[in-house]
Structures are given as structure tokens and as C-alpha cells.
């Protein structure tokens, strides 16, 4: 059976974009089968896999989740997929942990489920797995992510990564076209879009909350410079450390866009392009991971919870299934220069540590 380093190298060399993880998924499936672990491929008609190690003895159902997709980059002018978020490492670690647990007969009660999910970067992979019913009987789910060096060094891990909620809104602003010489006959969508950007910038939430909103795309081109443009499209990126303020923020942003453009006689249609919930982490899951980290890295390797402005579609699992206890930990690996950087690199000695931490958590619950 290949070890975690070999799994990593194989997966690293076949990066595939979200929902196109065909080779990745085929490799993982063949490795699970080789270890004698029953699995279902093609969950909800995607590349997703659910596998299960059943002890045959009644007990809790624990799930480990890994994501499989790479990112799309343009490198030296060429569009390509590359593993710059470490999902190759995540899949390699969960796969190796599962193979070893199976081989060692370490699961004595309950069942261990293994989720290999597509399309985390698209924000819709976890939702596809949920729709496929992959988690119906699961009590606790654990996920993890490689952490940047500034957050966590090699030999360290954090039992809870507190991700932010994010939402991407796009407004299509419609005006009325006119000759630029007769602007009074039209409604200038560009002017209206500028108003909308200013109105959103003037919004406030309670000062104690952690949030941000900013325009990130502004498109307006009538094709000529001597007519009043009748359409503009603006995109905003919204962030919030918790889920509750995000609902308020979205509502305020939508209202500010619609009312500000209406003041000039324009109309705006606002749609959500992409959305991910904030971390929804259960104390029991964090306690289990904390103990597992200490088992492997000792007290000196255990960090406190880390707050990050990034987002993870993992949190759709607990948000959609409130009975599910979710835990999400972070593995230190001296990762530089940063996640999503085309030259992202990390110390691969962390891979074995990741395997051992997951195994320790599973054995504590199902051993
Ligand atoms: Zn990412
Ligand atoms: Zn990621």
C-alpha cells in the first residue's frame, strides 16, 4: 500500500478543477478498494466518494472529510489547474489514515465514514454531497486544512479554525440609453452604479461585529463613448465572522443598491453568485481533536483556536444538518508564501502528523 507521501505525490501531479476530479477520484477509489474499504462513487452524479469502515458493533458514526479539487491559475500566460490550497494533501492524509485504520482493525465500535468531496473552491461541493445524502446517519464530522506559516508552524496544530462567512453579490443595473448630447432623455447606468458603490460604502453594522463589504468588479461599456450607457454590472464581496450578521449585511447591501439607483431612475437586480457560511464548530468535536493533537504533537504542539477571514464550504454540513457535531482543525506545515499562491509550498513532514492526528481522534471515539 502506498504511504501518505506517495499518495500526495500522485495526487499533486494530477490537479483537476471542481467537479472534474475524475483521475483524482478514480485513484482514491482504487486505493480504498485495495484496502478492502467498501465505497460508493459518483455521489449525486459528481466525482464525490463516500466510503465506510463498519466495526459491526453498534456505536457512534464519525466522518472524516477531505476535499479533492485544485485551483485554476494562469501561469506564464497559460491557464492550468494547480494544487495551491493543499486539497491534494487533505485527500492523501484522510486516505492514508483510512487505509491504516482498516489494516490495523482499529475500529472496534460504530462506523467510520470517509468523505472525499469535489469542488470546495467553487463553494458547491459540500452541498452536492449533502444533496446526495452522504451524511444522513453521521453524528460527528471532522475536517482539516493546511495552515499558512504565520498562523501555525510545523509541529503545531490548532483544534479549531474559525472561518468567516462570505457572500458574493452581483447587481445588474439598468438605465435608459440616450445620445450623449441629450442625456436628459436617458438614465445613465454608470452614474447609478457609482451611486450604488457609494451607498454600500456608507453602510454600518454594530461596531462590535467583525465584517467587511467592498465592490470588487465594475463593468460598464456601451460600446461607444458618445451615448449614455444603459447597463452596468457591479460585484461586491461581503464577509462576516459569524452567520447572523451576514443575513443583515446582505439585506442592507441589497437595499442600498436598489434604493440608490432608484433615486436616479435606474433599476437594479441583485443576485447571489457564491456564498459560504461561517464556522459552526461543536465543543465536543474540538475537544476530541484537541486530545488527538496532544496525543501526537504533545502539549507544546497544541495552539489555541485560530480566526481566519477565509471561508470553507465544509460548514454547509453543520449549517444544513444542525444535529451534526462538526470539528475543523488546522495543521501547521510551514506553508509559504500563502494559500492560493501559485508557488505555494509546505513541509511535507506534516503529512504523517496529519495522518496520526486523524487516527488518534478516530481511535478515541471508535477504538
Ligand atoms: Zn482554497
Ligand atoms: Zn482549501
Amino acid at each position: 500500500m502506498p504511504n501518505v507521501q506517495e499518495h500526495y505525490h500522485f495526487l499533486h501531479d494530477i490537479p483537476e478543477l471542481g467537479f472534474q476530479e475524475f483521475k483524482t477520484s478514480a485513484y482514491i477509489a482504487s486505493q480504498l478498494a485495495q484496502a478492502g474499504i467498501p465505497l460508493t462513487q459518483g455521489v449525486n452524479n459528481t466525482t464525490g466518494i463516500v466510503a465506510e469502515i463498519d466495526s459491526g458493533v453498534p456505536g457512534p458514526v464519525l466522518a472524516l472529510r477531505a476535499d479533492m479539487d485544485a485551483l485554476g491559475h494562469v501561469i506564464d500566460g497559460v491557464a492550468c489547474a494547480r494544487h495551491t490550497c493543499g486539497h491534494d494533501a487533505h485527500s492523501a492524509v484522510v486516505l492514508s489514515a483510512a487505509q491504516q485504520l482498516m489494516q490495523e482493525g482499529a475500529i472496534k465500535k460504530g462506523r467510520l465514514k470517509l468523505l472525499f468531496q469535489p469542488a470546495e473552491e467553487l463553494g458547491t461541493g459540500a452541498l452536492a454531497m449533502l444533496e446526495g445524502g452522504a451524511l444522513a446517519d453521521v453524528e460527528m464530522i471532522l475536517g482539516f486544512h493546511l495552515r499558512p506559516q504565520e498562523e501555525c508552524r510545523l509541529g503545531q496544530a490548532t483544534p479549531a479554525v474559525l472561518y468567516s462567512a462570505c457572500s458574493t453579490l452581483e447587481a445588474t443595473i439598468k438605465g435608459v440609453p440616450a445620445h450623449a448630447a441629450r442625456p436628459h432623455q436617458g438614465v445613465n447606468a454608470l452614474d447609478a452604479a457609482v451611486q450604488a458603490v457609494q451607498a454600500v460604502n456608507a453602510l454600518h453594522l454594530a461596531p462590535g461585529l467583525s465584517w467587511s463589504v467592498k465592490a470588487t468588479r465594475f463593468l460598464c461599456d456601451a460600446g461607444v463613448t458618445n451615448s449614455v450607457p444603459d447597463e452596468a454590472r457591479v460585484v461586491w464581496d461581503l464577509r462576516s465572522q459569524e452567520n447572523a450578521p451576514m443575513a443583515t449585511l446582505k439585506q442592507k447591501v441589497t437595499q442600498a443598491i436598489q434604493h440608490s439607483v432608484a433615486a436616479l431612475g435606474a433599476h437594479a437586480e441583485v443576485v447571489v453568485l457564491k456564498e459560504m457560511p461561517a464556522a459552526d464548530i461543536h465543543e465536543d468535536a474540538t475537544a476530541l481533536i484537541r486530545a488527538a493533537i496532544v496525543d501526537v504533537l504533545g502539549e507544546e504542539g497544541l495552539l489555541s483556536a485560530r480566526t481566519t477571514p477565509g471561508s470553507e464550504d465544509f460548514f454547509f454540513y453543520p449549517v444544513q444538518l444542525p444535529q451534526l457535531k462538526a470539528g475543523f482543525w488546522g495543521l501547521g506545515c510551514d506553508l509559504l508564501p500563502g494559500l492560493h499562491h501559485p508557488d505555494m509550498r509546505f513541509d511535507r513532514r506534516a503529512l504523517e502528523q496529519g495522518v496520526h492526528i486523524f487516527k488518534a481522534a478516530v481511535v478515541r471515539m471508535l477504538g
Side-chain angles (χ1 to χ4, degrees):
M1 208 95 70
N3 62 32
V4 68
Q5 300 289 343
E6 289 161 334
H7 287 323
Y8 170 80
H9 284 297
F10 189 91
L11 295 173
H12 187 71
D13 289 344
I14 52 164
E16 297 168 294
L17 298 177
F19 292 122
Q20 297 167 33
E21 306 94 337
F22 303 112
K23 287 184 269 179
T24 303
S25 170
Y27 174 78
I28 293 168
S30 75
Q31 285 299 320
L32 290 166
Q34 222 180 83
I37 303 172
L39 70 139
T40 306
Q41 283 180 269
V43 176
N44 200 11
N45 294 317
T46 70
T47 50
I49 297 172
V50 183
E52 184 175 298
I53 304 177
D54 188 347
S55 67
V57 177
V61 183
L62 173 66
L64 307 184
R65 172 272 204 176
D67 38 15
M68 301 189 289
D69 55 324
L71 277 87
H73 286 276
V74 176
I75 297 168
D76 297 332
V78 180
C80 61
R82 189 177 277 193
H83 272 296
T84 57
C85 203
H87 299 183
D88 46 356
H90 303 165
S91 282
V93 163
V94 171
L95 177 59
S96 223
Q99 287 185 324
Q100 292 182 23
L101 287 161
M102 182 71 182
Q103 223 164 26
E104 294 161 12
I107 296 167
K108 311 278 191 212
K109 61 172 188 276
R111 287 178 288 140
L112 178 68
K113 282 201 158 191
L114 306 148
L115 264 72
F116 295 90
Q117 120 174 21
E120 191 285 326
E121 295 293 343
L122 303 181
T124 45
L127 289 171
M129 295 295 273
L130 279 160
E131 274 170 28
L135 280 146
D137 52 352
V138 175
E139 287 160 47
M140 186 182 282
I141 183 166
L142 307 179
F144 87 120
H145 209 293
L146 303 184
R147 301 315 304 159
Q149 191 187 60
E150 67 203 26
E151 254 179 53
C152 205
R153 299 295 306 258
L154 178 71
Q156 297 179 323
T158 167
V161 187
L162 305 174
Y163 282 88
S164 296
C166 76
S167 190
T168 310
L169 299 190
E170 182 181 57
T172 303
I173 297 162
K174 297 273 193 192
V176 176
H179 194 297
R182 298 177 193 83
H184 60 290
Q185 293 175 351
V187 173
N188 191 325
L190 191 156
D191 283 340
V194 168
Q195 290 290 93
V197 171
Q198 300 288 21
V200 170
N201 285 347
L203 291 176
H204 297 283
L205 294 191
L209 297 172
S210 176
W211 62 282
S212 76
V213 55
K214 76 291 309 178
T216 54
R217 178 183 285 163
F218 193 111
L219 302 172
C220 183
D221 183 2
V224 287
T225 53
N226 56 358
S227 75
V228 169
D230 67 337
E231 185 177 305
R233 277 190 292 142
V234 186
V235 173
W236 283 267
D237 175 275
L238 287 62
R239 307 266 158 177
S240 164
Q241 202 54 56
E242 285 158 53
N243 284 316
M246 181 54 94
T248 312
L249 185 60
K250 264 165 56 183
Q251 188 255 327
K252 281 194 169 208
V253 167
T254 304
Q255 185 177 305
I257 296 166
Q258 285 171 339
H259 289 204
S260 59
V261 307
L264 297 178
H267 172 79
E269 193 180 315
V270 181
V271 294
V272 177
L273 294 184
K274 182 177 169 181
E275 184 155 54
M276 285 192 233
D280 185 341
I281 279 176
H282 197 282
E283 246 173 64
D284 294 354
T286 302
L288 178 66
I289 297 167
R290 190 181 291 119
I293 291 171
V294 173
D295 286 344
V296 177
L297 302 177
E299 288 285 350
E300 64 278 15
L302 177 68
L303 299 182
S304 56
R306 289 290 184 265
T307 298
T308 167
S311 297
E312 236 306 330
D313 86 342
F314 174 85
F315 295 103
F316 277 118
Y317 295 121
V319 164
Q320 295 231 341
L321 298 174
Q323 77 279 10
L324 191 62
K325 296 176 177 177
F328 199 98
W329 59 284
L331 178 63
C333 54
D334 287 351
L335 187 152
L336 287 169
L339 293 164
H340 290 201
H341 190 288
D343 300 324
M344 186 280 265
R345 60 192 184 277
F346 64 94
D347 193 321
R348 294 191 199 114
R349 283 175 293 177
L351 295 172
E352 277 86 5
Q353 295 171 347
V355 172
H356 290 131
I357 291 170
F358 262 136
K359 282 179 67 183
V362 172
V363 169
R364 278 177 170 271
M365 191 159 165
L366 306 178

